[in-house]
Amino acid sequence: MDITEFYQTFFEEAEELLNEMEHLLLELDLDDPDNEQLNAIFRAAHSIKGGAGTFGFIVLQETTHIFENLLDRARHHELILDREIIDIFLETKDMLTDQLNAYRNQEEPDPEAFERICTTLKRIAEEKTDAGSPAPVAAAPVEAPVAAGAGIRLLEIVLSKLDEDECATLTEEIALFGTVKHSEYADNTLKISLESSEPADDIEAVLCFVLDASQIAIQEASGGAEAPVAAAAAAAESMKAETQAVAEEAPAAEPKGADSKASQAPASKAPAKKPGKAQSSDASLRVSTEKVDQIINLVGELVITQSMLEQTTQGLDPVVNGQLLTGMSQLQRNARDLQEAVMSIRMMQMDYVFNRFPRLVRDLASKLGKEIELVTVGKSTELDKGLIERIIDPLTHLVRNSIDHGIELPEKREAAGKNRLGKLTLSAQHQGGNILIEVSDDGAGLNRDRILAKAKSSGIPISDNISDDEVWQLIFAPGFSTAEQVTDVSGRGVGMDVVKRNIQQMGGYVEILSQYGKGSTTRIVLPLTLAILDGMSVKVGEEVFILPLGAIMESIQIKHEDINRVAGQEQVIHVRGEYLSLVELHKVFNVPDAQTDVTQGIVMIVQSDGRHFALLVDQLIGQHQVVVKNLETNYRKIPGVSAATIMGDGSVALILDVPALQRVSRDRRGSEPARAQAAVH
């Protein structure tokens, strides 16, 4: 049987197990390790080892085998856990990830790295083992029968829907877990009797790499020649349960000893037992992203077709065509529900992103000599998969900045009357059709005077009376940094401009809130998905444009006295004490026959990067939910336009890129908004 087709499943599941392992290692309380967490870490390593052995990934198998032995000692309290050991365990997890990626790329893992990590793990096994602690006397009666072989059980394994050619290979794989006493193949079903000390769940987990869970049934045999063994195992389990109850009341009585593995593993696993593989497999289905994207595109086309039909039937007589109009209304509801259901498939929880940062915060804080607590809020908040993968790098840079520049050293915090332990908060929440992501710290905050001084020395034209919001936006300028010295963490002024650009490319914007001496908050606002957009359609001349609804603050009509000119050319409008630059869309896109009188058109107040400016349009058409089509793929990049969509009448409407329009406005003025406002005054 060719098992290479199951490689991808193994790689994905092993990657999930490694991520879970890292998460659990970071959560461990070294003073009082949780048995369930230790058992879960051990099971993850054990499952990876079994899968690696099945597929012939020898280096990965040998590394996890050594790692598994140490984890087994740790969960039986034979290994004293400390920060050094956890650091080495995390390094081992990184090494396992590298080995997994090597096999994924059809390469052999680095042999030097393999030797190094194995040597380190063996050294830990020799130096850190608590060999001098005697096993409690109360636990001795339980250990004796297990050492005599009561841990061996007879398992009946039934594999269905098999071809005869698959039987030999599967029998060999199952033989790795013990001794095959009997095997029989009939009616596409393979029945195997196996003597093994391995848990049935672990054997099933490995088989699930090559078979569907519905094909696998494993149960412990009762009666027959193996009845004495089964009875002995049951007796040991019963005695172990009683001892476990005593141990829970008196932790000091927990058994130790090199031979305790077989007896303790089943009992310690029981509280943390997970749902069976068949149940989890039936509840979820792995589908490639390409297939999901194809379905989303087809549903988008369906929605466009539905809009066309709806527009066609608008002029029909409801009395004569009542049944047709009723059907169209039902089609509209069903298409909308289908669209939302399909889009939800691409949604992933922010937990996928946030789980990457405990390790980063721990390592970087230790490197910089800081004490930092990471708090995450809103991990269940959902975001489109395409966006959630692209937001990781910007968030990583913001977190590193908060740790390096924001949160002070413990001694400095104490001198300022703060807690030695700094607090870094990652939060996510839905806000209308957007998601709001914040990176907050209780550190030193931004220094306005230092930023202004750096801006002036860099030749950036600014005014001393600009607002704090505009000052904070200066740190997004390329090459801008107020760090006193460059480190390998940050200080070169590279990164924040990339953060801003990446977020703008995702249709969002970033703003900063800061209070000197108390901390800073970087806020990122993103649309929930890039496939569908809530927008307002506006008309300029005979052209229709779509303006993202989240960028619109209000729409107004202005009077002549509210219009001013800067340098005799560019126009600004006065709205409630604030001067806003005016972008006339007909000039940006050279639209003929458009409204040129500002007082006769509609002025849309929009926001970008936390700043406001005005757009002049001829007419508001209405609010729509449109399917976004990539313009660069189908045509080319157009300045000021982010994408396109197909309207109900079959025409193409351009979706405006609000940040780009603001940049166009700045280029036309050749100055910052603050200078424009100063010129008006």
Side-chain angles (χ1 to χ4, degrees):
M1 180 174 64
D2 182 14
I3 61 174
T4 57
E5 60 182 294
F6 302 106
Y7 280 2
Q8 187 59 34
T9 301
F10 168 72
F11 292 143
E12 292 175 358
E13 295 194 6
E15 187 175 10
E16 291 175 2
L17 289 170
L18 287 171
N19 290 335
E20 179 187 7
M21 182 188 296
E22 179 180 89
H23 181 67
L24 292 170
L25 284 170
L26 292 171
E27 283 190 343
L28 271 180
D29 182 357
L30 298 181
D31 297 326
D32 184 21
D34 183 83
N35 286 335
E36 292 187 12
Q37 288 181 321
L38 290 172
N39 286 331
I41 297 170
F42 171 81
R43 284 197 301 271
H46 187 74
S47 297
I48 294 172
K49 183 192 77 171
T54 299
F55 294 110
F57 301 147
I58 304 302
V59 174
L60 181 61
Q61 181 188 18
E62 292 182 0
T63 307
T64 48
H65 178 67
I66 300 173
F67 188 30
E68 178 190 38
N69 290 339
L70 275 178
L71 292 171
D72 190 49
R73 291 188 179 186
R75 71 186 186 131
H76 290 109
H77 309 288
E78 299 168 12
L79 185 68
I80 304 172
L81 294 177
D82 55 25
R83 187 177 180 86
E84 179 190 0
I85 291 181
I86 297 300
D87 287 341
I88 292 174
F89 283 0
L90 289 170
E91 183 183 350
T92 305
K93 176 265 169 187
D94 292 340
M95 185 62 63
L96 293 174
T97 301
D98 292 342
Q99 293 175 357
L100 191 70
N101 290 334
Y103 285 120
R104 192 197 302 262
N105 297 327
Q106 299 181 357
E107 301 171 354
E108 280 298 316
D110 184 357
E112 294 182 2
F114 167 67
E115 290 293 337
R116 184 175 65 253
I117 199 65
C118 289
T119 301
T120 303
L121 291 175
K122 290 174 182 177
R123 176 180 61 81
I124 290 296
E126 295 172 358
E127 294 179 359
K128 300 291 185 177
T129 300
D130 187 14
S133 301
V137 176
V142 180
E143 302 293 329
V146 175
I152 303 296
R153 300 180 305 281
L154 182 65
L155 300 176
E156 295 293 344
I157 303 174
V158 179
L159 308 178
S160 59
K161 304 176 185 177
L162 297 182
D163 295 331
E164 189 171 358
D165 296 338
E166 299 175 303
C167 295
T169 302
L170 288 172
T171 303
E172 291 177 2
E173 300 298 340
I174 292 172
L176 295 174
F177 294 95
T179 303
V180 175
K181 304 297 291 184
H182 175 72
S183 65
E184 177 185 353
Y185 177 75
D187 298 329
N188 295 329
T189 300
L190 176 63
K191 297 181 180 179
I192 295 178
S193 298
L194 177 73
E195 279 187 352
S196 175
S197 60
E198 298 290 344
D201 285 349
D202 291 344
I203 299 175
E204 183 178 356
V206 173
L207 290 175
C208 278
F209 284 123
V210 293
L211 296 176
D212 188 86
S214 61
Q215 297 176 256
I216 306 168
I218 303 178
Q219 63 180 5
E220 189 170 335
S222 58
E226 303 298 330
V229 177
E237 291 294 330
S238 176
M239 295 176 66
K240 181 60 188 171
E242 296 177 4
T243 306
Q244 186 73 13
V246 175
E248 290 175 355
E249 297 178 3
E254 290 184 357
K256 297 180 181 179
D259 296 328
S260 63
K261 175 181 177 180
S263 65
Q264 281 192 311
S268 59
K269 276 186 169 183
K273 187 174 182 180
K274 297 182 177 181
K277 288 286 179 182
Q279 178 181 350
S280 61
S281 296
D282 291 342
S284 62
L285 179 66
R286 290 184 182 273
V287 180
S288 67
T289 306
E290 290 77 12
K291 291 183 178 180
V292 175
D293 290 342
Q294 184 180 10
I295 293 175
I296 290 175
N297 288 333
L298 290 174
V299 171
E301 296 296 334
L302 175 64
V303 171
I304 292 172
T305 304
Q306 177 267 321
S307 298
M308 292 180 178
L309 292 174
E310 182 183 8
Q311 188 161 335
T312 303
T313 58
Q314 282 181 351
L316 297 179
D317 187 345
V319 176
V320 179
N321 302 284
Q323 189 173 357
L324 174 61
L325 294 177
T326 301
M328 286 301 306
S329 178
Q330 183 67 30
L331 175 62
Q332 181 185 15
R333 288 193 296 270
N334 291 342
R336 182 65 178 261
D337 291 343
L338 177 61
Q339 188 180 44
E340 292 178 355
V342 171
M343 289 306 304
S344 68
I345 297 176
R346 281 185 58 92
M347 292 296 179
M348 296 178 64
Q349 293 187 351
M350 285 299 295
D351 191 33
Y352 175 82
V353 177
F354 287 170
N355 278 344
R356 298 169 181 262
F357 292 108
R359 174 77 181 280
L360 173 65
V361 172
R362 180 183 186 274
D363 293 348
L364 195 54
S366 176
K367 180 177 183 178
L368 297 175
K370 298 182 178 181
E371 299 175 10
I372 300 177
E373 174 192 14
L374 176 65
V375 178
T376 55
V377 180
K379 293 193 293 185
S380 61
T381 305
E382 292 186 333
L383 182 63
D384 186 274
K385 183 180 187 297
L387 290 173
I388 214 166
E389 291 175 344
R390 294 167 61 181
I391 195 63
I392 292 174
D393 285 344
L395 279 182
T396 300
H397 191 88
L398 294 176
V399 168
R400 290 170 65 91
N401 263 14
S402 290
I403 297 173
D404 191 22
H405 297 308
I407 298 177
E408 314 94 328
L409 290 168
E411 297 77 14
K412 193 172 182 179
R413 291 179 62 86
E414 282 188 332
K418 295 183 179 180
N419 192 322
R420 287 178 59 89
L421 183 66
K423 186 177 181 180
L424 177 63
T425 304
L426 294 175
S427 66
Q429 61 177 317
H430 285 151
Q431 190 179 70
N434 297 322
I435 184 172
L436 181 66
I437 304 171
E438 292 185 342
V439 180
S440 305
D441 66 70
D442 63 349
L446 296 177
N447 189 318
R448 176 187 170 96
D449 295 335
R450 180 182 293 181
I451 294 174
L452 287 174
K454 178 65 177 179
K456 290 178 179 178
S457 66
S458 301
I460 300 177
I462 54 172
S463 172
D464 289 333
N465 62 350
I466 63 175
S467 66
D468 285 344
D469 290 339
E470 291 175 308
V471 173
W472 308 151
Q473 288 293 323
L474 290 173
I475 69 175
F476 292 109
F480 192 94
S481 176
T482 59
E484 297 178 357
Q485 59 182 0
V486 175
T487 68
D488 58 349
V489 176
S490 59
R492 299 182 184 274
V494 178
M496 291 300 284
D497 58 324
V498 178
V499 168
K500 182 177 180 179
R501 185 167 62 250
N502 288 346
I503 291 171
Q504 287 177 342
Q505 289 174 352
M506 290 185 277
Y509 63 90
V510 56
E511 58 185 6
I512 297 178
L513 309 173
S514 182
Q515 190 172 359
Y516 185 66
K518 294 187 177 180
S520 301
T521 296
T522 304
R523 178 177 298 162
I524 299 171
V525 180
L526 292 172
L528 291 179
T529 177
L530 294 180
I532 295 176
L533 174 73
D534 284 316
M536 176 71 71
S537 57
V538 299
K539 198 168 187 179
V540 180
E542 296 300 320
E543 301 294 332
V544 175
F545 298 94
I546 304 295
L547 194 60
L549 204 60
I552 301 174
M553 303 299 295
E554 60 179 321
S555 58
I556 59 175
Q557 284 190 297
I558 59 174
K559 302 176 182 178
H560 283 290
E561 55 265 28
D562 296 326
I563 305 172
N564 295 274
R565 290 188 177 274
V566 178
Q569 294 184 1
E570 298 302 327
Q571 296 184 92
V572 294
I573 61 173
H574 186 237
V575 180
R576 289 187 287 277
E578 184 179 8
Y579 286 91
L580 305 176
S581 59
L582 179 66
V583 178
E584 300 173 76
L585 285 182
H586 71 275
K587 290 184 178 180
V588 174
F589 297 109
N590 296 319
V591 179
D593 302 326
Q595 179 61 255
T596 58
D597 188 348
V598 179
T599 60
Q600 297 301 313
I602 303 292
V603 173
M604 309 287 293
I605 308 299
V606 296
Q607 65 173 355
S608 172
D609 301 334
R611 300 178 181 178
H612 299 163
F613 67 102
L615 290 176
L616 176 64
V617 302
D618 293 2
Q619 180 184 348
L620 302 183
I621 299 177
Q623 180 180 338
H624 307 277
Q625 188 174 62
V626 298
V627 178
V628 178
K629 298 292 184 180
N630 191 309
L631 195 60
E632 293 184 54
T633 302
N634 299 288
Y635 181 51
R636 62 179 176 84
K637 175 67 176 175
I638 299 178
V641 174
S642 61
T645 189
I646 301 175
M647 304 297 288
D649 59 359
S651 63
V652 175
L654 300 178
I655 301 174
L656 298 178
D657 185 346
V658 176
L661 288 175
Q662 186 182 33
R663 289 193 294 272
V664 169
S665 173
R666 290 178 183 175
D667 293 341
R668 290 167 65 90
R669 294 197 317 272
S671 61
E672 293 293 320
R675 295 185 64 192
Q677 183 164 336
V680 172
H681 286 295

